[in-house]
């Protein structure tokens, strides 16, 4: 497990949620997309990371 990446993604998601910061959403989306590519992780967790990444990417553009 990549704990620092998980912690960074969670921190950025919270920053975005609390402040609406688009940059935080973009950065969280990038980290989550990277985590979604980790083939050692179970499929459901990878799918969740991918969904969250896509949603955050859309929010960062609006």
């Amino acid at each position: 497990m990549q704990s620092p990446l998980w912690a960074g993604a969670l921190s950025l998601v919270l920053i975005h949620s609390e402040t609406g910061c688009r940059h935080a959403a973009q950065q969280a989306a990038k980290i989550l997309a990277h985590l979604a590519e980790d083939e050692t992780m179970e499929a459901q967790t990878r799918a969740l990371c991918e969904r969250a990444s896509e949603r955050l990417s859309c929010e960062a553009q609006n």
Side-chain angles (χ1 to χ4, degrees), residues 15-62:
I15 290 169
H16 170 66
S17 176
E18 294 170 351
T19 67
C21 177
R22 291 180 182 175
H23 182 70
Q26 285 177 319
Q27 294 303 312
K30 288 180 184 180
I31 293 171
L32 288 165
H34 176 75
L35 289 168
E37 295 173 354
D38 183 353
E39 294 182 7
T40 64
M41 208 176 346
E42 66 179 36
Q44 289 178 333
T45 303
R46 292 176 64 204
L48 182 62
C49 288
E50 187 174 354
R51 280 182 41 218
S53 175
E54 290 172 5
R55 184 171 294 180
L56 286 163
S57 290
C58 289
E59 289 182 19
Q61 293 176 359
N62 293 329

